Amino acid sequence: MRVQYHHTCFHLSWDTRVGLTCRHFATKYTAKITSTSPTGRSLSAEVSPPPPLPTDIRGYLLPRRDLICKATEILLGRHRRPSEMPSFDDPFSDLSEYLQSLSLTITTSEASEILKALKTPSLAWKFFHFCPSLSPNFRHDSFTYNRLILILSKSTSPERFDQVHSIISDMEKHGVHGTISTINLLIGFFGNSKDLEKCIGLVKNWDLRWNAYTYKCLLQAYLRSHDSSKAFHVYMEIQRRGYKLDIWAYNMLLDALAKAEKVDQAYKIFEDMKRKYCEPDEFTYTIMIRMMGKIGKTNESLSLFQEMLSKGRTPNLIAYNTMIQALAKGRMVDKAILLFSKMVKDDCQPNEFTYSLLLNLLVAEGQLNKLETVLEISKKYTNKQIYAYLVRTLSKLGHPSEAHRLFCSMWSLHDKGDRDAFMSMLEGLCNAGKTAEAVDLLCKIHEKGITTDTIMYNTVFTTLGRLKQLSHIIDLYEKMKQDGPSPDIFTYNILISSFGRVGRVDEAVKIFEELESSDCKPDVISYNSLINCLGKNGDLDEAHMRFKEMQEKGLDPDVFTYSTLIECFGKTDKVEMACSLFEEMLAKGCSPNIVTYNILLDCLEKSGRTSEAVDLYAKLKQHGLTPDSITYSILERLQSGGDRKLRVRRKNPITGWVVSPLR
């Protein structure tokens, strides 16, 4: 085969307008191709050169890259030298002047490239509407419209929907038909909204044909709006037309149908994939396994898992967790542990969710003794964080003994402890009332390199106070003051309340005085605890004095403060003082709760002031409060009447009073 070339001409010219030499590559070639066969016969053909590329009036090829770069620089404000003062002129005026100086205008292809470079939606929107002002003959085409729609689709401005509506109207006004790419962009932009039908109608108006990508866009629009029914209908249309989806689209559709529990439709697509279109991957199988496990078909989930393995798919962490979750739902303990063993053998590291599935299964089936087997299987992956999670979860599930045993294992296996695990264990022991173990743990934790803090001490103090174990509180408080950390306001409040609960007034006052001399200062809770302690133990004058003191220090009494004092005055037959405090409470803008009303109602009923009690009950209803059992009990006594001096009421075994705001 021989190729012969014939060239014609080549010349240079001078452009006087811009002072540049415009080099025209006008050399033309004609090719003649001759082929000779083994028999001696020859065949010749001449190849004509391609038509010349479009150029501007200067002879430069379009689109003009130098013009695009310069226009972009002007619009972005990058055309000035650093030494120049910033201009407050409109960049569009600068661009117009630049183009006029060269007697040039911008083509639609160049406008599209400039839009692409601008990126900023607001600037792109202004430039798009600026272009027609450059020339009376300028008309945007489908490509510039598409470019602007694409930019607006990435905007977060609330105006973007109105702007795209405006673009569609502008296209219809100027008779510009979009391409199928325009439809694809609009479907992705509007999604499954009321505008989607209008987008679909444009296909017919513009005489376009749907392609595979358009159907995929429509499918995704329905899936993103969780409309699996319409998405399935689109899939059926895709299948009818012979189009194919990629594995990502199939998985997305399967996931939506599975979550909607549309099992039959999901299985149809799954079988279609295997028979006709593409091989399912590990994500496909995971979706199907989760769906079957969710509806309780554990054996089908196992079959799918085995099929995945037979196809050479390697299960990932999500796949293993999904299968274990299905087995847990089916209460298959041994199979779940066996699968967990395979997971570890395949070097797939379990996470907290894996352990939570197994732990909850073992607890539900009463086989918590198999937790040691699980930990032994995964010992190469079991770290302090996993131990901490298990300790915390066991404590929350109400198994403090198992949590403590696991914690002790962690203690012996690691030189340094995990603070989260320690706090979980400490809280678990406290919640279970195992105060001796909690105190012992608190005193030994420094051995594992963990520094104790006030939160830890306060956790134990709270439990000791609730169980009235004052001797342990005193010993632990002395250790805290000696070794640190320093008590905080919560520590002092817990201690004051704890001593007050058992009537140890002197110790409560002593702690309050220590608080006043410390870096912390008493707050409303501190005063409430002290006032409650003093009032309930007969020192009402001191309680009232502390009430006045807290107000002088700028602390506003709350509903608990007033309720405590009203109860104390009421139970000592100082009804006028109790009523006065109630009125003061209202005047100060502190809203009484149902406990406050119950306290005062009981006080008025006990003292025989029936009419005032009835008025107070009416006020309770006016404030929108709902009476409780104590309220109705007091009302029954009011209605029964009788000689109150002879009536004997059961007293509270702790306070000795009928009603307590601390209920």
Side-chain angles (χ1 to χ4, degrees):
M1 180 182 290
R2 301 191 308 276
V3 180
Q4 299 174 339
Y5 295 98
H6 308 280
H7 84 289
T8 53
C9 64
F10 176 82
H11 69 273
L12 296 173
S13 66
W14 183 262
D15 191 324
T16 57
R17 290 180 297 100
V18 295
L20 295 173
T21 299
C22 184
R23 187 175 185 180
H24 292 263
F25 294 93
T27 303
K28 298 179 180 178
Y29 292 87
T30 301
K32 183 176 182 181
I33 303 174
T34 303
S35 175
T36 304
S37 67
T39 60
R41 298 180 64 183
S42 62
L43 179 67
S44 299
E46 287 190 0
V47 181
S48 302
L53 295 173
T55 60
D56 67 357
I57 57 176
R58 301 178 299 172
Y60 283 104
L61 295 177
L62 295 174
R64 294 156 290 193
R65 298 297 169 186
D66 58 330
L67 181 62
I68 294 169
C69 292
K70 185 65 177 178
T72 304
E73 287 180 357
I74 292 173
L75 293 175
L76 296 176
R78 298 173 183 166
H79 62 293
R80 300 182 184 87
R81 292 188 297 273
S83 58
E84 293 179 343
M85 291 294 291
S87 171
F88 295 99
D89 294 338
D90 183 0
F92 294 100
S93 298
D94 294 344
L95 177 59
S96 181
E97 290 177 6
Y98 169 73
L99 295 174
Q100 288 176 5
S101 67
L102 300 178
S103 300
L104 295 176
T105 188
I106 292 175
T107 65
T108 53
S109 61
E110 290 166 343
S112 178
E113 291 295 321
I114 295 171
L115 281 169
K116 180 180 178 181
L118 294 179
K119 295 182 181 179
T120 306
S122 58
L123 188 58
W125 177 260
K126 292 178 182 177
F127 173 70
F128 181 86
H129 288 87
F130 164 77
C131 289
S133 67
L134 295 173
S135 168
N137 297 323
F138 184 91
R139 292 288 184 274
H140 284 295
D141 59 16
S142 61
F143 294 102
T144 53
Y145 281 110
N146 287 355
R147 180 72 68 186
L148 184 59
I149 293 171
L150 180 62
I151 293 171
L152 292 175
S153 69
K154 299 176 182 178
S155 171
T156 57
S157 170
E159 299 175 352
R160 64 188 185 279
F161 295 103
D162 291 336
Q163 290 174 331
V164 173
H165 285 136
S166 173
I167 291 171
I168 297 172
S169 299
D170 196 61
M171 293 175 73
E172 293 175 344
K173 177 182 177 182
H174 292 96
V176 178
H177 285 193
T179 63
I180 198 63
S181 296
T182 316
I183 301 298
N184 296 342
L185 287 169
L186 290 173
I187 291 173
F189 181 80
F190 288 116
N192 186 19
S193 65
K194 61 182 181 180
D195 297 298
L196 184 58
E197 293 302 322
K198 184 176 181 180
C199 295
I200 295 173
L202 290 174
V203 176
K204 183 177 180 181
N205 295 345
W206 291 342
D207 195 24
L208 301 174
R209 294 185 63 184
W210 290 67
N211 59 24
Y213 187 71
T214 310
Y215 281 109
K216 185 177 178 181
C217 291
L218 186 60
L219 181 71
Q220 291 177 2
Y222 288 134
L223 290 176
R224 289 194 182 100
S225 61
H226 308 290
D227 193 339
S228 57
S229 297
K230 288 184 179 179
F232 183 75
H233 289 313
V234 173
Y235 168 76
M236 295 301 293
E237 183 66 18
I238 291 173
Q239 188 183 48
R240 189 179 69 81
R241 291 179 176 271
Y243 295 136
K244 295 181 181 180
L245 296 173
D246 56 25
I247 187 66
W248 183 84
Y250 270 115
N251 286 345
M252 190 175 175
L253 178 57
L254 273 176
D255 187 56
L257 293 170
K259 287 177 178 176
E261 296 187 10
K262 296 181 178 179
V263 180
D264 293 339
Q265 293 179 356
Y267 253 106
K268 171 180 171 42
I269 293 172
F270 182 62
E271 294 300 327
D272 284 348
M273 290 176 67
K274 293 191 291 183
R275 285 199 313 266
K276 303 177 183 178
Y277 301 114
C278 61
E279 279 295 320
D281 60 10
E282 59 271 19
F283 297 103
T284 316
Y285 281 104
T286 301
I287 292 166
M288 298 299 293
I289 291 167
R290 181 185 294 116
M291 179 182 71
M292 300 312 293
K294 186 178 178 182
I295 61 176
K297 295 188 177 182
T298 311
N299 290 327
E300 285 83 347
S301 294
L302 270 173
S303 298
L304 287 164
F305 190 82
Q306 292 296 335
E307 182 182 321
M308 174 174 62
L309 296 178
S310 67
K311 295 286 186 180
R313 302 295 182 186
T314 303
N316 55 20
L317 175 63
I318 298 174
Y320 272 114
N321 282 349
T322 302
M323 190 63 247
I324 292 173
Q325 188 174 25
L327 293 171
K329 186 175 178 64
R331 299 191 169 189
M332 299 180 179
V333 176
D334 293 335
K335 288 185 178 180
I337 294 176
L338 184 63
L339 184 62
F340 179 74
S341 178
K342 174 176 172 51
M343 177 182 185
V344 174
K345 186 178 178 181
D346 290 345
D347 291 324
C348 183
Q349 183 173 353
N351 61 2
E352 286 187 2
F353 184 64
T354 318
Y355 287 101
S356 72
L357 292 171
L358 292 169
L359 184 58
N360 285 308
L361 174 60
L362 295 176
V363 170
E365 294 302 301
Q367 300 184 38
L368 202 51
N369 59 307
K370 293 185 178 180
L371 181 59
E372 289 294 335
T373 304
V374 171
L375 293 174
E376 180 63 25
I377 290 171
S378 61
K379 60 183 179 180
K380 68 177 181 179
Y381 293 126
T382 309
N383 52 32
K384 290 186 292 184
Q385 287 71 33
I386 294 298
Y387 271 111
Y389 172 76
L390 292 173
V391 169
R392 185 167 59 250
T393 306
L394 282 168
S395 298
K396 289 180 179 178
L397 293 175
H399 296 276
S401 298
E402 289 78 1
H404 191 236
R405 181 164 50 84
L406 193 63
F407 180 81
C408 292
S409 299
M410 182 185 70
W411 186 281
S412 60
L413 287 174
H414 300 281
D415 294 332
K416 289 190 175 181
D418 183 272
R419 188 183 185 281
D420 289 339
F422 169 73
M423 280 302 301
S424 298
M425 191 67 259
L426 193 65
E427 291 170 356
L429 291 171
C430 289
N431 292 335
K434 297 186 176 184
T435 54
E437 292 89 337
V439 172
D440 181 61
L441 184 59
L442 183 62
C443 295
K444 290 172 58 178
I445 193 62
H446 67 277
E447 297 175 8
K448 292 297 180 179
I450 299 176
T451 304
T452 53
D453 56 27
T454 53
I455 296 175
M456 300 174 186
Y457 274 94
N458 291 345
T459 301
V460 180
F461 279 137
T462 300
T463 302
L464 293 172
R466 177 170 51 84
L467 298 177
K468 301 180 182 179
Q469 297 180 0
L470 273 298
S471 59
H472 287 311
I473 288 181
I474 293 170
D475 293 341
L476 194 61
Y477 181 55
E478 290 301 322
K479 174 178 172 54
M480 185 182 190
K481 289 193 292 184
Q482 181 179 348
D483 300 334
S486 299
D488 62 7
I489 185 63
F490 300 103
T491 312
Y492 288 114
N493 291 345
I494 293 167
L495 295 178
I496 294 168
S497 178
S498 299
F499 285 118
R501 187 177 287 112
V502 295
R504 303 278 286 270
V505 181
D506 292 341
E507 285 89 341
V509 172
K510 180 182 176 183
I511 295 296
F512 188 87
E513 290 172 350
E514 287 185 25
L515 169 60
E516 289 183 307
S517 61
S518 71
D519 293 334
C520 306
K521 295 303 174 187
D523 59 9
V524 173
I525 297 174
S526 310
Y527 273 102
N528 285 350
S529 300
L530 183 61
I531 289 169
N532 186 63
C533 172
L534 293 167
K536 296 294 178 66
N537 289 282
D539 199 346
L540 189 53
D541 291 338
E542 179 70 13
H544 193 241
M545 185 189 74
R546 293 291 185 175
F547 173 74
K548 294 296 184 183
E549 179 184 291
M550 70 181 292
Q551 291 177 307
E552 291 171 0
K553 290 185 176 180
L555 296 173
D556 294 326
D558 60 13
V559 65
F560 185 90
T561 322
Y562 281 108
S563 298
T564 302
L565 280 174
I566 290 170
E567 181 178 20
C568 291
F569 281 114
K571 299 311 175 184
T572 54
D573 294 328
K574 296 182 179 180
V575 183
E576 293 299 333
M577 192 62 186
C579 292
S580 176
L581 282 169
F582 185 81
E583 294 301 326
E584 178 185 326
M585 182 182 188
L586 296 175
K588 294 281 188 179
C590 181
S591 299
N593 57 24
I594 191 63
V595 175
T596 316
Y597 276 103
N598 286 344
I599 290 169
L600 193 53
L601 278 170
D602 181 72
C603 173
L604 293 170
E605 186 273 335
K606 181 181 176 182
S607 61
R609 301 168 74 156
T610 308
S611 60
E612 293 179 55
V614 172
D615 292 341
L616 183 64
Y617 177 72
K619 187 178 292 186
L620 177 155
K621 300 287 286 184
Q622 289 173 3
H623 281 85
L625 294 173
T626 303
D628 60 13
S629 59
I630 296 176
T631 317
Y632 289 120
S633 176
I634 297 169
L635 290 175
E636 283 181 14
R637 297 202 304 268
L638 282 170
Q639 292 172 355
S640 64
D643 188 358
R644 293 179 179 80
K645 292 183 180 180
L646 298 177
R647 189 184 311 125
V648 178
R649 294 193 298 268
R650 183 177 62 85
K651 295 185 178 181
N652 186 292
I654 298 176
T655 63
W657 298 338
V658 176
V659 182
S660 171
L662 299 178
R663 284 174 51 84

